[in-house]
């Protein structure tokens, strides 16, 4: 899973705990959102 070159499948996500699957998706989303987030002034 993590660190693997293989893409995650629906079955892989279905077999893992919900909080772990959510954390993986959130990390993917935040990778770009952190870069492009407007800075607070």
């Amino acid at each position: 899973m993590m660190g693997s070159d293989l893409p995650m499948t629906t079955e892989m996500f279905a077999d893992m705990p919900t909080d772990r699957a959510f954390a993986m998706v959130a990390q993917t989303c935040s990778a770009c959102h952190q870069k492009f987030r407007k800075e607070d002034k």
Side-chain angles (χ1 to χ4, degrees):
M1 285 194 246
M2 292 291 289
S4 173
D5 290 336
L6 299 174
M8 292 293 294
T9 65
T10 305
E11 292 80 14
M12 293 168 125
F13 276 109
D15 288 340
M16 69 174 57
T18 305
D19 59 340
R20 180 69 181 129
F22 179 81
M24 290 179 71
V25 173
Q27 286 177 345
T28 300
C29 293
S30 67
C32 289
H33 285 285
Q34 291 294 331
K35 292 182 207 174
F36 299 106
R37 187 169 289 157
K38 182 179 175 182
E39 291 184 27
D40 291 334
K41 291 184 180 184

